Amino acid sequence: MTLPRSVGILLLCAGVVACEGSAQHTHHPGGNEPDPPPPATSDSVRPAPAKFSCDASAVPSDLPFPRLSRTQVMNSLRFSIARALPNEADAVWENLAPLLARYPTDQRTPAPGDLKGGFSRLDQSIQQTQIDVMYDLGNAVAQELTSTDARRNALLGSCASDSQTANDRACLETFIRGWGSRVLRYPLPTAEVTAFADIAGATPVNRAAVADVITTVLNSPWFLYRVEHGTAAGQPVSPLSAFELAAKLSYQLWQAPPDDALWAAATDGSLLTETGFSAQLDRMMKSPQLRGSLDEFVSEWLRLEELPSLEALRNDPVYRSFVGAQMPLDATRTAMFEDVQLSAWNTVVSGGTVSDFLHDKRSYTADPFLAGIYGVPVWSGSGPAPVMPSQNRGGLLTRAALLATGTPSTRPIHRGYLVRNALLCQQVGAPPPNASTRPPAPTERMTTRQVVSQLTSGGSCGGCHNNTINPPGFVLEGFDALGRERDVERLFNPQGHETATPSVDTSADVLLYDSEQRVISSASELSRMIDDSQLFESCVAQHYFRFAHARVESTSRDGCLLSEMETVARSGAPMADLLKTVVQHPTFKQRSFQ
């Protein structure tokens, strides 16, 4: 069950299971690096024990037949068009827009025991709609690529338009061998080139016949899936071929087929050497193409899309009074997402750590409304980003994307659950059947905290809300439903008239894990507790494992990689090393058939 941010959940806690670990912090130089975390105090939380351990005899499982995600399919289609008609690729893509919109969106699937979250990559289902739309897309691309003799000639070369017919078959086969191999991501053997060419029949360079060939290639399982046979037939675990490894590496880091340099490394075999693989990995990690994959990971991990429109209630009198003179647009909503994504990106490219990402207080926005929320000038996109001046801004926890609700009311329950589940990897049990689905909202005289406490402090809800969900949410009540800092909560009547301005109470007794419990009253203190515990670092590793592998981990079979990722995340190593750990691990270069 996926619950939108607008829904206030009264959650019954069936038990909390924490990600656990220990840590150091090392600050790494960089042009736009995050500020170092605040110093530890004598009241610092003890690092939690490591959650994952390695059983060297365990064999990790693999997805049986990895399907490309929607994003990866779209990138692959663009690649196929650009390989065929590089000078007209943008125009062709624009013509395909209506069909592209019909391709089903991958459904985000939470891990077992989680009420929310999950990654779209985990959706490995196949719908009839996908098959139908993919056929239509393949056909549409084929029709575009062969719509004129000039385009057909650009695909096949001069042999398609000369007076000779004896060379037509060879002309088509050359195109299939070159374009088809890159699109299907492996060198097509002669038998397969022949099979594709046979589709054109007796008219190999006829535009309609060539279109049939292209349609067939784009609907091949090799296009829609990552097909991995390995190089040791019949063995339970087999090394990947150079081209299988190139495709796996490229889709992991760039969500797209291998580029020319990676393809060349696969072709000459250097990708299978330690030196050659490292060279390609370093090149790919420095490429701007990495950002698309990182953006998707961060957005889905932190559930940014749960933030509703900031304009939907623009005519509601309470919302208008709450917002003030300037109404935010949905461009600000997008800017809120980009602010979080750019924080992660700049952490990676500057050599910052996972801890640096948590504590980063720089604002990465050119949106005036969002910059106003942070109290900083807009950022030009180059040079050091401005630092948020407030000491109460605790880095990631107080970015507007994680605080805003699209309503005049904050959501302490949502905020608390996000901290527990997304940032700490602690599971919270499902709500009881009679739980209210109506978001707790302040009244003319009662604050949001008072209403939430009244609704959740007793009965079957109390144990979980009082000890687990509500406390971190209450600590964040110093920020309103747009992410603006506040000392008082403005209460309104239904007509939007202000009725009271009580002080905001941000103090709470936060139990992080075991006996590590502190009474705190600021977001910066909460960030420090989370970081000291190392639960955040372990949790990032766990979430990135799921994103990278398009499946939920097995703590027994995947323990070795998870343990290594956890160690890297906690060690003070660059956050980029966490991404690299996945592809450098021996299991990345092999295929398990067990």
Side-chain angles (χ1 to χ4, degrees):
M1 177 175 63
T2 300
L3 301 171
R5 179 176 300 199
S6 59
V7 175
I9 346 170
L10 307 187
L11 294 168
L12 173 64
C13 183
V16 175
V17 181
C19 304
E20 304 166 347
S22 64
Q24 292 177 324
H25 296 296
T26 301
H27 193 52
H28 296 268
N32 218 12
E33 57 185 339
D35 294 330
T41 68
S42 59
D43 198 36
S44 295
V45 171
R46 291 180 299 110
K51 178 176 183 180
F52 303 108
S53 60
C54 175
D55 176 0
S57 65
V59 179
S61 58
D62 277 325
L63 288 176
F65 204 26
R67 174 177 69 80
L68 298 189
S69 70
R70 187 186 194 281
T71 298
Q72 292 168 346
V73 168
M74 297 299 110
N75 289 342
S76 300
L77 280 172
R78 290 208 73 157
F79 176 86
S80 69
I81 295 167
R83 293 294 306 180
L85 295 176
N87 296 329
E88 299 183 74
D90 290 342
V92 171
W93 189 253
E94 186 175 341
N95 291 340
L96 295 173
L99 259 181
L100 295 169
R102 286 175 45 203
Y103 194 88
T105 301
D106 297 321
Q107 299 301 304
R108 292 178 58 188
T109 307
D114 290 346
L115 302 179
K116 306 173 77 172
F119 296 99
S120 56
R121 284 190 180 189
L122 270 66
D123 182 2
Q124 290 290 306
S125 64
I126 300 296
Q127 307 171 37
Q128 186 61 45
T129 306
Q130 286 170 304
I131 304 303
D132 295 341
V133 175
M134 192 61 226
Y135 177 80
D136 292 343
L137 275 170
N139 185 55
V141 170
Q143 296 302 320
E144 285 282 348
L145 297 183
T146 60
S147 60
T148 65
D149 286 346
R151 283 186 171 181
R152 183 227 25 215
N153 297 343
L155 299 182
L156 303 185
S158 59
C159 57
S161 57
D162 62 19
S163 59
Q164 303 295 318
T165 58
N167 63 357
D168 286 357
R169 172 77 180 207
C171 184
L172 176 62
E173 289 185 353
T174 298
F175 166 70
I176 294 171
R177 189 174 294 107
W179 178 82
S181 292
R182 292 301 301 274
V183 168
L184 298 183
R185 307 179 289 276
Y186 71 104
L188 293 175
T190 300
E192 293 186 33
V193 172
T194 299
F196 280 122
D198 286 347
I199 294 169
T203 56
V205 297
N206 176 272
R207 281 165 35 202
V210 175
D212 287 343
V213 173
I214 293 173
T215 300
T216 305
V217 169
L218 293 179
N219 280 275
S220 165
W222 287 87
F223 182 80
L224 299 171
Y225 297 83
R226 280 197 300 103
V227 182
E228 297 173 347
H229 293 303
T231 57
Q235 297 299 311
V237 177
S238 172
L240 298 177
S241 72
F243 294 98
E244 291 169 344
L245 181 58
K248 188 173 183 179
L249 184 62
S250 188
Y251 280 112
Q252 172 58 40
L253 296 179
W254 288 354
Q255 306 221 76
D259 67 353
D260 290 346
L262 187 55
W263 183 264
T267 301
D268 65 21
S270 62
L271 187 62
L272 296 180
T273 67
E274 184 175 345
T275 301
F277 184 84
S278 294
Q280 289 301 314
L281 176 57
D282 289 344
R283 179 182 70 87
M284 296 177 73
M285 288 293 297
K286 295 174 183 176
S287 169
Q289 285 185 265
L290 176 67
R291 190 185 158 193
S293 179
L294 185 64
D295 282 355
E296 181 177 305
F297 167 65
V298 169
S299 295
E300 295 192 349
W301 160 42
L302 297 174
R303 307 157 195 180
L304 301 185
E305 289 292 337
E306 291 181 0
L307 172 59
S309 166
L310 299 181
E311 300 182 49
L313 296 179
R314 62 183 302 113
N315 295 321
D316 177 79
V318 176
Y319 188 64
R320 293 187 67 85
S321 296
F322 159 73
V323 169
Q326 183 183 359
M327 184 67 60
L329 303 176
D330 278 338
T332 297
R333 176 179 180 267
T334 301
M336 289 177 176
F337 299 166
E338 292 174 345
D339 174 55
V340 180
Q341 293 165 342
L342 281 166
S343 174
W345 174 245
N346 280 280
T347 300
V348 167
V349 299
S350 71
T353 68
V354 174
S355 173
D356 290 333
F357 175 53
L358 177 65
H359 293 290
D360 184 14
K361 294 185 63 173
R362 295 187 182 273
S363 165
Y364 302 93
T365 186
D367 182 81
F369 192 97
L370 180 56
I373 289 175
Y374 291 153
V376 296
V378 296
W379 182 47
S380 67
S382 61
V387 177
M388 303 177 202
S390 172
Q391 294 302 308
N392 294 324
R393 290 274 176 193
L396 176 64
L397 286 175
T398 54
R399 292 195 179 273
L402 276 66
L403 298 170
T405 67
T407 75
S409 307
T410 58
R411 296 284 182 264
I413 295 174
H414 169 86
R415 292 175 179 180
Y417 185 80
L418 183 73
V419 169
R420 289 293 179 188
N421 189 245
L423 274 61
L424 301 176
C425 287
Q426 295 176 341
Q427 291 186 341
V428 179
N434 62 344
S436 172
T437 59
R438 180 177 238 174
T443 68
E444 295 180 31
R445 296 298 170 190
M446 294 180 66
T447 67
T448 302
R449 176 167 182 163
Q450 289 169 340
V451 172
V452 169
S453 296
Q454 184 181 77
L455 290 173
T456 65
S457 61
S460 60
C461 296
C464 187
H465 279 272
N466 293 339
N467 300 322
T468 305
I469 299 173
N470 293 355
F474 289 155
V475 170
L476 298 173
E477 278 292 274
F479 300 89
D480 71 13
L482 279 173
R484 300 176 298 196
E485 194 170 349
R486 66 181 184 179
D487 296 318
V488 299
E489 180 173 2
R490 300 171 64 214
L491 305 180
F492 304 93
N493 65 19
Q495 291 74 42
H497 300 136
E498 189 175 286
T499 58
T501 56
S503 298
V504 173
D505 180 6
T506 61
S507 64
D509 191 357
V510 178
L511 172 62
L512 211 57
Y513 78 97
D514 292 343
S515 61
E516 295 301 322
Q517 188 167 356
R518 304 286 187 277
V519 176
I520 59 174
S521 58
S522 72
S524 57
E525 290 178 294
L526 180 58
S527 294
R528 166 51 61 196
M529 280 186 70
I530 289 172
D531 198 20
D532 285 345
S533 73
Q534 290 295 285
L535 297 175
F536 177 74
E537 284 78 358
S538 293
C539 192
V540 174
Q542 187 172 5
H543 279 295
Y544 191 70
F545 178 96
R546 294 173 180 176
F547 176 77
H549 291 79
R551 62 179 176 83
V552 176
E553 70 284 347
S554 164
T555 54
S556 57
R557 298 186 66 172
D558 299 309
C560 291
L561 175 54
L562 285 163
S563 179
E564 187 173 333
M565 294 173 67
E566 182 179 44
T567 299
V568 169
R570 296 176 170 194
S571 69
M575 188 170 172
D577 286 1
L578 177 63
L579 280 59
K580 293 169 69 172
T581 297
V582 172
V583 299
Q584 289 174 322
H585 198 265
T587 55
F588 188 85
K589 301 178 183 181
Q590 64 190 35
R591 172 70 178 167
S592 173
F593 297 96
Q594 298 186 57

